């Protein structure tokens, strides 16, 4: 039987564990059913009205701002290296002109960001194809470069063949001087207007993030149970991530939306409309 609870989307990557672990273990009680998937899947579910609130690609809000509110002061981003959004290449990025770059269908924001950075920062023109990054990297005649995100990027970043790693968070900072926001939490206006919500989503999610920040040893314990990474590597990874949406992050997000509009990815850069609940 379908759940009668409102559904909250949870990106199935390591990067959101510090926000969701307390929700998953009952340390922060809530009345939502957690639904798991890659960013592209959660984007589609939010678009179809199948979720009340979700962590989604930041581009999803830009494409349909009239359908969402942004949960205030909550995001997934970095100021500089992010470690889990990488262009892995057989050669330096500056030598990729005219080559083929594979982009996974699991990512929307990072794919758009890569196009901007290759054009404006690396100043190269490439041919994009889509496919399964892990499968294609194992082929003898694989693509010249591959965009990998999330846990896949953490596993592949020391690849023996794709030995040149271009960190997109670091490249964006070099280009703009601003942090980059890869993901947002958004609330469905339709679900909220129908009253189909449990506790205030911002209150629940902020409590989860704050618990994770105050209990990082517990987060590392949980991460080690799920992911095959050394504890010091996990600690270093989480230290690179920001879960805030402050003034600098909002400026970086606004600039990204302006660039998306300039590249024809969206009609115009939307204003940031924040959830009025909390």
């Amino acid at each position: 039987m379908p759940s009668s609870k409102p559904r909250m989307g949870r990106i199935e990557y390591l990067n959101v564990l510090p926000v969701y672990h307390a929700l998953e273990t009952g340390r922060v009680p809530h009345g939502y059913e957690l639904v798991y998937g890659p960013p592209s899947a959660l984007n589609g579910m939010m678009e179809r009205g199948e979720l009340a609130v979700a962590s989604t690609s930041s581009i999803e809000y830009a494409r349909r701002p009239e359908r969402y509110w942004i949960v205030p002061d909550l995001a997934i981003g970095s100021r500089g290296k992010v470690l889990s959004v990488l262009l892995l290449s057989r050669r330096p990025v500056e030598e990729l002109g005219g080559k083929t770059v594979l982009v996974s269908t699991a990512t929307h924001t990072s794919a758009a960001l890569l196009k901007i950075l290759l054009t404006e920062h690396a100043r190269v023109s490439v041919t994009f194809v889509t496919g399964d990054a892990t499968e294609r990297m194992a082929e003898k005649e694989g693509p010249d470069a591959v965009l990998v995100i999330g846990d896949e990027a953490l596993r592949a970043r020391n690849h023996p063949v794709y030995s040149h790693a271009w960190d997109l968070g670091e490249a964006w900072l070099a280009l703009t001087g601003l942090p980059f926001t890869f993901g947002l939490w958004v609330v469905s206006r339709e679900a909220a207007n129908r009253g189909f919500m449990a506790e205030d989503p911002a209150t629940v999610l902020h409590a989860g993030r704050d618990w994770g920040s105050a209990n990082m040893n517990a987060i590392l314990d949980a991460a080690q149970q799920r992911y095959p990474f050394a504890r010091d590597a996990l600690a270093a990874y989480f230290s690179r991530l920001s879960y805030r949406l402050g003034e600098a992050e909002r400026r970086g997000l606004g600039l990204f939306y302006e660039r998306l509009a300039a590249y024809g990815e969206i009609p115009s850069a939307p204003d940031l409309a924040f959830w009025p609940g909390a």
Side-chain angles (χ1 to χ4, degrees):
M1 293 291 290
S3 172
S4 60
K5 293 181 178 180
R7 289 154 45 106
M8 176 183 286
R10 189 252 206 237
I11 292 174
E12 60 185 6
Y13 294 158
L14 176 63
N15 59 5
V16 295
L17 184 65
V19 176
Y20 282 105
H21 182 63
L23 279 65
E24 293 171 322
T25 58
R27 291 174 172 87
V28 172
H30 62 90
Y32 291 93
E33 176 193 357
L34 294 178
V35 178
Y36 296 74
S40 57
L42 296 186
N43 293 348
M45 295 177 77
M46 282 299 290
E47 178 188 356
R48 295 188 297 272
E50 297 171 2
L51 301 172
V53 56
S55 45
T56 66
S57 304
S58 58
I59 198 172
E60 173 61 20
Y61 174 81
R63 287 172 172 165
R64 283 165 276 274
E66 73 284 352
R67 301 186 64 162
Y68 307 126
W69 280 299
I70 299 171
V71 174
D73 193 27
L74 185 65
I76 311 165
S78 71
R79 185 178 183 88
K81 284 186 177 180
V82 67
L83 303 181
S84 57
V85 183
L86 304 174
L87 181 68
L88 300 181
S89 175
R90 298 172 182 266
R91 52 180 56 82
V93 66
E94 296 82 7
E95 299 176 13
L96 284 176
K99 303 299 183 182
T100 299
V101 174
L102 183 139
V103 175
S104 169
T105 55
T107 173
H108 292 167
T109 292
S110 299
L113 174 62
L114 177 62
K115 293 176 183 179
I116 295 169
L117 291 173
L118 286 176
T119 301
E120 299 187 15
H121 188 37
R123 299 190 180 280
V124 295
S125 178
V126 304
T127 298
F128 289 99
V129 296
T130 58
D132 185 290
T134 299
E135 287 184 4
R136 294 298 310 277
M137 290 169 72
E139 296 175 359
K140 184 177 180 180
E141 300 298 330
D144 297 284
V146 178
L147 175 64
V148 287
I149 69 167
D151 303 347
E152 187 174 46
L154 294 174
R155 290 191 297 265
R157 59 182 176 155
N158 295 314
H159 197 282
V161 176
Y162 292 85
S163 56
H164 297 273
W166 202 43
D167 189 298
L168 270 60
E170 184 177 34
W172 174 262
L173 179 66
L175 178 66
T176 68
L178 292 168
F180 190 81
T181 297
F182 291 93
L184 296 169
W185 274 261
V186 296
V187 178
S188 163
R189 295 193 185 208
E190 179 186 4
N193 290 339
R194 289 192 290 113
F196 193 55
M197 307 290 287
E199 297 87 352
D200 182 282
T203 300
V204 169
L205 289 163
H206 288 168
R209 177 200 57 202
D210 295 346
W211 189 95
S213 177
N215 295 275
M216 189 49 66
N217 280 330
I219 297 298
L220 292 172
D221 289 342
Q224 285 195 289
Q225 292 175 12
R226 304 187 196 186
Y227 302 94
F229 304 122
R231 192 178 185 89
D232 58 347
L234 290 166
Y237 175 52
F238 287 131
S239 73
R240 303 300 314 182
L241 298 174
S242 169
Y243 297 97
R244 300 282 180 174
L245 190 61
E247 180 182 355
E249 288 79 12
R250 293 194 298 271
R251 286 194 288 118
L253 186 60
L255 180 59
F256 176 55
Y257 288 164
E258 289 174 8
R259 304 313 298 143
L260 289 178
Y263 280 74
E265 295 282 345
I266 56 176
S268 60
D271 293 331
L272 304 184
F274 291 98
W275 166 244

